[in-house]
Amino acid sequence: MTVEALLYLSYQAEDATFHWFTHLFVGASAALLVMAVIVARTRRPVRLPLLWPVLGHLAAALPDALFSRGIAHERWMDLFLGHVSAHALPGRNLSWYALFLAVVAIYLAALWRRVPARP
Amino acid sequence: MRPPETFGPPGSPERGSGGTGGERPREARGGLGPRRCRAGAALLPARLSTGPLDDTDLALQRPGILDADRAPSPAPRLGGEISEPGVRAVVFFVRPMQLGRLRRALAEDRTLARAARLAVVVSGETSLRPPPKALLVVDRLRAFASGFGMRAPRDHGPPVGYAIVDRSGLVRYRTLDPGVAQRLGEVKTMLRDTP
């Protein structure tokens, strides 16, 4: 939460909170998908579940850190979870938000299906 | 169509404060419908942080990449040495009340004018002098704003932002940016990337 708060403040200082949300939803969704696959295959919850979405967000937002260092965005930066193309999704952040909620549901479904109830 | 006026060399006295341009009045909450509020409650902070001078599509505001939403297009000729082949140019678009702040920022900056020709397109009459080493153009009918492909802000008024023209005279970057006077470093970042 502290990392996310610091990230948010850094985007807010640049009048760019819209982009914070975009990369949060993209990064966290990618992380949750990976977590869901791991849960489905191992039948165990992942360790440090809150850390994964944060790492996903950091990966998705890395080009913005480069931008603040004076490096403009390039198309190859889509390697960072579609950093550039993510903004082209119709519906913008509302669509990413809906996708994020869907992925959360997928992850929770994977948890409930695969994790045996404890005695 | 009435042609835009081009101001000559600095000479007229600067009057008025004119320095409130970068401040962004908060958008009224009434603009958000109840259904949208419920669906995107998590997005509310970002929504509330937008102002009337922001782009209606925030994904297109300060994208940080050349040719973000459209192919390069020839830049309109502003006069002077702006838009001449072989020279990069930064064309700022402001409203009269933002000119004072931009003028001060450009006066304090030492590198931007060396890297590119500068022009400031103002959407209305102003008594302020042109920024140093910059061409000042009055564009009441938004002919230049339209020619450079500047998008209209949320209040449907004249744009506040900038466009970057490459050495071949093509507009490669255009964005609304109500706080551009505080973000000349970002302008330089995009200019460095412009051929």
Side-chain angles (χ1 to χ4, degrees), chain A residues 14-15 17 21 73-74 92 97, chain B residues 24 39 42 57 62 64 193:
Chain A
E14 296 291 334
D15 282 340
T17 51
F21 278 106
H73 289 353
E74 304 279 356
R92 311 305 193 204
Y97 181 55
Chain B
R24 302 160 58 189
D57 185 350
R62 296 164 60 208
D193 207 44

Side-chain angles (χ1 to χ4, degrees), chain A residues 70, chain B residues 109-112 162 164 183-193:
Chain B
D109 187 89
R110 296 177 184 275
T111 58
L112 193 57
Y162 61 96
I164 297 179
R183 277 192 282 268
L184 291 184
E186 190 170 308
V187 179
K188 292 175 198 171
T189 294
M190 295 314 303
L191 188 62
R192 271 195 298 273
D193 207 44

Side-chain angles (χ1 to χ4, degrees), chain B:
Chain B
M1 179 179 288
R2 189 172 177 179
E5 295 175 10
T6 302
F7 282 11
S12 59
E14 184 171 351
R15 288 188 300 179
S17 60
T20 59
E23 295 163 10
R24 302 160 58 189
R26 297 300 183 209
E27 183 186 27
R29 289 179 183 224
L32 297 171
R35 185 185 301 170
R36 205 166 183 180
C37 270
R38 281 196 300 271
L43 306 174
L44 200 56
R47 284 271 170 191
L48 292 177
S49 67
T50 59
L53 299 183
D54 284 316
D55 201 309
T56 51
D57 185 350
L58 288 175
L60 301 180
Q61 182 166 318
R62 296 164 60 208
I65 184 169
L66 299 181
D67 313 322
D69 64 324
R70 62 169 71 182
S73 58
R77 293 186 69 84
L78 283 172
E81 294 173 319
I82 302 292
S83 308
E84 283 188 358
V87 182
R88 291 181 302 181
V90 178
V91 182
F92 295 95
F93 293 85
V94 292
R95 298 181 184 182
M97 67 182 302
Q98 280 99 30
L99 180 59
R101 179 169 289 191
L102 179 63
R103 187 181 183 284
R104 282 194 293 276
L106 290 175
E108 291 169 6
D109 187 89
R110 296 177 184 275
T111 58
L112 193 57
R114 289 186 206 149
R117 305 289 185 194
L118 303 181
V120 179
V121 177
V122 191
S123 59
E125 290 295 343
T126 177
S127 57
L128 296 181
R129 287 179 294 163
K133 298 181 181 176
L135 181 75
L136 186 68
V137 178
V138 175
D139 184 25
R140 290 187 203 88
L141 300 176
R142 305 182 204 174
F144 282 123
S146 173
F148 277 88
M150 297 297 291
R151 290 169 55 82
R154 298 166 73 91
D155 69 356
H156 306 295
V160 176
Y162 61 96
I164 297 179
V165 181
D166 70 10
R167 288 188 174 90
S168 60
L170 298 175
V171 182
R172 303 295 304 275
Y173 190 71
R174 46 177 79 78
T175 181
L176 299 185
D177 184 358
V180 64
Q182 296 98 61
R183 277 192 282 268
L184 291 184
E186 190 170 308
V187 179
K188 292 175 198 171
T189 294
M190 295 314 303
L191 188 62
R192 271 195 298 273
D193 207 44
T194 304

Side-chain angles (χ1 to χ4, degrees), chain A residues 25-86:
Chain A
F25 294 144
V26 172
S29 297
L32 284 165
L33 275 177
V34 173
M35 292 164 70
V37 169
I38 291 174
V39 168
R41 298 192 71 170
T42 64
R43 298 182 175 240
R44 290 185 177 184
V46 296
R47 299 178 66 183
L48 303 172
L50 288 180
L51 182 63
W52 292 59
V54 175
L55 291 177
H57 188 183
L58 287 173
L62 188 60
D64 285 338
L66 297 176
F67 190 81
S68 68
R69 297 275 182 178
I71 300 172
H73 289 353
E74 304 279 356
R75 295 291 172 192
W76 64 263
M77 291 180 179
D78 270 341
L79 290 172
F80 296 93
L81 298 176
H83 183 91
V84 175
S85 300

